[in-house]
Amino acid sequence: MTAPQRRSWQDIRDILRGQILDRSYRPGDKLPRDEDIAAALGCARSTVQRAMQDLVDTGLVARKRKGGTRVRPDPVTRATFDIAVTRVEVEATGATYGYELVSQARARTPEAVVARFGLKAPEEMLHVQALHLADAAPYVFEDRWISLASCGEIEAVDLSRQSANEWLVHHKPYSRIDLRFYALQADETLARQMQTAPGAALLVLERTTWLEAVPITTVRSVTRPGHQIVAQNEA
Amino acid sequence: MTAPQRRSWQDIRDILRGQILDRSYRPGDKLPRDEDIAAALGCARSTVQRAMQDLVDTGLVARKRKGGTRVRPDPVTRATFDIAVTRVEVEATGATYGYELVSQARARTPEAVVARFGLKAPEEMLHVQALHLADAAPYVFEDRWISLASCGEIEAVDLSRQSANEWLVHHKPYSRIDLRFYALQADETLARQMQTAPGAALLVLERTTWLEAVPITTVRSVTRPGHQIVAQNEA
DNA sequence: TAGTGGTCTAGACCACTAA
DNA sequence: TAGTGGTCTAGACCACTAA
């Protein structure tokens, strides 16, 4: 006889998810109380709790005290993306990574940057433009503003050798991030930088970070033509 | 005297995260064993475990049995997106939702769709094109292929009244999803559908779903000009 | 092979909130 | 206000893996 294994929370999750997927429980339906599920499946309540936590994270069920657990009536697709340092991302594709500093200068933040940070007034920051290359072809063009108030030391760093991306990641942790994606039509300048045709549709990733309430950096990363961002395989 | 509250796992997480953010522990550094942290902070080991689980989910630390817990040396930005049914998304902006079926027909899957599903050969599926509107303006144009093998019933549904998006979400759960973003230059046809200029840069969201190994549907959703996808506020 | 994280259990008490 | 999920604890055993 095969030894009866103790049930893990993944087992419990799979059983419950199976019942949701095969529509034993339909969107909006209420599941039994954790305690009853535990009794029925022969495990501790905390094991059910752990399984439920996973189903909540996945967006499959919603839980409320006293209200119980229900299959979400308005299912959402929950996707997670990991965005690494550009160098690591390039090297992960097997390509050779390259980097070029395009410009570096103190400047007053334009209105768009003031808005991204939610500043009250424009401020002098470090403005850095740089190109990341994969096998010598443009991979990402980044246009970055770095707060001198929180990252003054970066002015002593040689940004033609080490990208601001890399330096910040290793020296300036953040506690809050605002992240967005959109499509951008390349203008003449950008097209030249990305070695593509003016008017090309490019995917842009915009990131703004703070440490508590203090601005750190905001960056607009324009990706190479045809670039796709793929989500982790989920659920 | 204020009552000494028992420490919650969130408290523990905040303490640890604080020590990482203020660089008491730097990228690559090893943290103490859970048991020692528990003793130092006066809580049970399982509470530390719960806090650590959150830090792992956030991408801040990595844990290995015997190897211990280390601050990630290659920090990643981890972003989570919730993608709701288009109707819900539009209504959440306060706009009035509208929907128009553009076309619906059985057809052999083109090469791109065969590839997305990873099929061995083309297959007859239901091809549906539809436009979602926000305050009567184009919001999302979706080009969808639905597997007849797994979703044959949908042919009995009046897709001019209810979007395939909505029907599928409520009747066809999936267990696997492939999700990607990219930018697309509008051609003549698409520009007309989205009421924009040919050549406009549009953000595209592509989703392909399976139930176990069985294809369900694949959809290319072209968003309106200027559309941004914003991540949940994290960390 | 020894050390560390992963997980399960049983029980307790708390915090929300639907009814 | 009663019922349900959320969390903590102490202890046990297991599963990985660095050394």
Side-chain angles (χ1 to χ4, degrees):
Chain A
M1 288 171 56
T2 55
Q5 299 264 346
R6 193 146 44 158
R7 281 219 178 85
S8 71
W9 68 262
Q10 285 98 336
D11 294 337
I12 306 297
R13 176 201 57 192
D14 290 345
I15 292 169
L16 294 171
R17 183 163 59 196
Q19 290 173 327
I20 295 171
L21 295 186
D22 73 13
R23 301 179 62 69
S24 301
Y25 297 113
R26 291 149 182 257
D29 281 2
K30 191 169 178 173
L31 274 65
R33 308 156 44 205
D34 290 8
E35 201 173 326
D36 293 340
I37 292 175
L41 301 181
C43 66
R45 177 160 79 93
S46 43
T47 305
V48 175
Q49 159 73 34
R50 181 67 186 82
M52 287 295 190
Q53 189 193 315
D54 195 76
L55 294 174
V56 169
D57 287 349
T58 317
L60 214 54
V61 304
R63 280 155 75 77
K64 261 189 208 158
R65 284 163 155 144
K66 168 101 185 189
T69 303
R70 286 175 184 282
V71 181
R72 282 184 73 134
D74 57 334
V76 290
T77 296
R78 185 154 299 168
T80 304
F81 298 86
D82 276 356
I83 300 161
V85 174
T86 309
R87 176 183 55 75
V88 172
E89 192 182 313
V90 167
E91 288 171 353
T93 69
T96 301
Y97 173 72
Y99 166 77
E100 282 171 21
L101 179 64
V102 174
S103 73
Q104 169 180 4
R106 285 189 176 219
R108 273 181 98 69
T109 51
E111 216 21 75
V113 171
V114 170
R116 280 192 233 161
F117 278 128
L119 300 176
K120 285 172 188 159
E123 205 174 280
E124 191 173 61
M125 292 197 181
L126 187 64
H127 184 206
V128 177
Q129 294 186 313
L131 190 61
H132 300 267
L133 307 153
D135 285 339
Y139 185 80
V140 162
F141 180 78
E142 70 169 56
D143 186 292
R144 183 185 291 274
W145 292 81
I146 303 164
S147 163
L148 291 168
S150 58
C151 308
E153 321 93 279
I154 200 171
E155 291 197 293
V157 177
D158 180 357
L159 294 180
S160 66
R161 308 205 51 164
Q162 183 184 26
S163 76
N165 181 352
E166 201 107 10
W167 187 87
L168 285 161
V169 149
H170 288 102
H171 296 83
K172 291 291 164 180
Y174 56 85
S175 56
R176 183 156 83 86
I177 180 167
D178 183 283
L179 200 149
R180 52 189 68 215
F181 292 138
Y182 55 90
L184 183 70
Q185 210 171 356
D187 59 19
E188 289 285 344
T189 314
L190 193 53
R192 199 164 40 244
Q193 270 150 347
M194 296 306 287
Q195 292 175 21
T196 187
L202 302 174
L203 181 63
V204 177
L205 199 160
E206 200 174 278
R207 270 171 295 179
T208 307
T209 55
W210 295 260
L211 182 57
E212 306 311 322
V214 180
I216 301 289
T217 187
T218 184
V219 58
R220 193 187 75 170
S221 299
V222 180
T223 63
R224 70 181 194 287
H227 189 66
Q228 299 194 343
I229 293 186
V230 179
Q232 313 303 315
N233 202 344
E234 282 285 303
Chain B
M1 286 173 59
T2 56
Q5 299 262 347
R6 193 144 47 158
R7 282 221 178 84
S8 71
W9 67 264
Q10 285 97 337
D11 294 336
I12 305 298
R13 176 201 58 194
D14 290 345
I15 291 168
L16 294 171
R17 182 162 62 195
Q19 290 175 327
I20 295 171
L21 294 187
D22 73 12
R23 304 178 61 70
S24 300
Y25 297 113
R26 290 146 183 261
D29 281 1
K30 192 170 178 173
L31 274 65
R33 309 156 44 206
D34 289 9
E35 201 173 326
D36 293 340
I37 292 176
L41 300 181
C43 67
R45 177 159 79 94
S46 43
T47 304
V48 175
Q49 158 74 34
R50 182 66 186 81
M52 287 295 192
Q53 189 193 315
D54 194 77
L55 294 173
V56 169
D57 286 349
T58 316
L60 215 53
V61 304
R63 280 154 75 78
K64 260 188 208 159
R65 283 160 158 147
K66 169 104 184 182
T69 304
R70 287 176 183 281
V71 180
R72 283 185 73 136
D74 58 333
V76 290
T77 296
R78 186 155 299 166
T80 305
F81 298 86
D82 276 356
I83 299 161
V85 174
T86 309
R87 177 182 55 75
V88 171
E89 191 181 315
V90 167
E91 289 171 351
T93 68
T96 301
Y97 174 73
Y99 166 77
E100 280 171 23
L101 179 63
V102 173
S103 74
Q104 169 180 5
R106 284 188 177 221
R108 272 180 100 68
T109 51
E111 217 20 73
V113 171
V114 169
R116 280 191 234 163
F117 278 128
L119 300 175
K120 286 173 187 158
E123 205 173 279
E124 190 173 64
M125 292 197 180
L126 187 63
H127 183 206
V128 177
Q129 293 186 314
L131 190 61
H132 299 267
L133 307 155
D135 286 339
Y139 185 81
V140 162
F141 180 78
E142 68 168 60
D143 186 292
R144 184 185 290 274
W145 292 81
I146 303 163
S147 162
L148 291 167
S150 57
C151 309
E153 321 94 279
I154 200 172
E155 292 198 294
V157 176
D158 181 356
L159 294 180
S160 65
R161 308 205 51 164
Q162 182 183 26
S163 76
N165 182 350
E166 201 108 13
W167 187 88
L168 285 161
V169 150
H170 288 101
H171 296 83
K172 290 292 165 179
Y174 56 84
S175 56
R176 183 157 81 89
I177 180 167
D178 182 283
L179 199 148
R180 53 189 69 215
F181 292 136
Y182 53 91
L184 183 71
Q185 210 170 355
D187 61 17
E188 289 284 344
T189 314
L190 193 53
R192 197 162 43 244
Q193 271 150 344
M194 296 308 287
Q195 292 174 22
T196 188
L202 301 174
L203 180 64
V204 177
L205 175 70
E206 201 175 277
R207 269 170 296 180
T208 307
T209 56
W210 296 260
L211 183 57
E212 305 311 323
V214 180
I216 301 288
T217 187
T218 184
V219 58
R220 192 186 77 169
S221 298
V222 180
T223 63
R224 71 181 193 288
H227 190 65
Q228 300 194 341
I229 294 186
V230 179
Q232 313 303 314
N233 200 347
E234 283 284 304

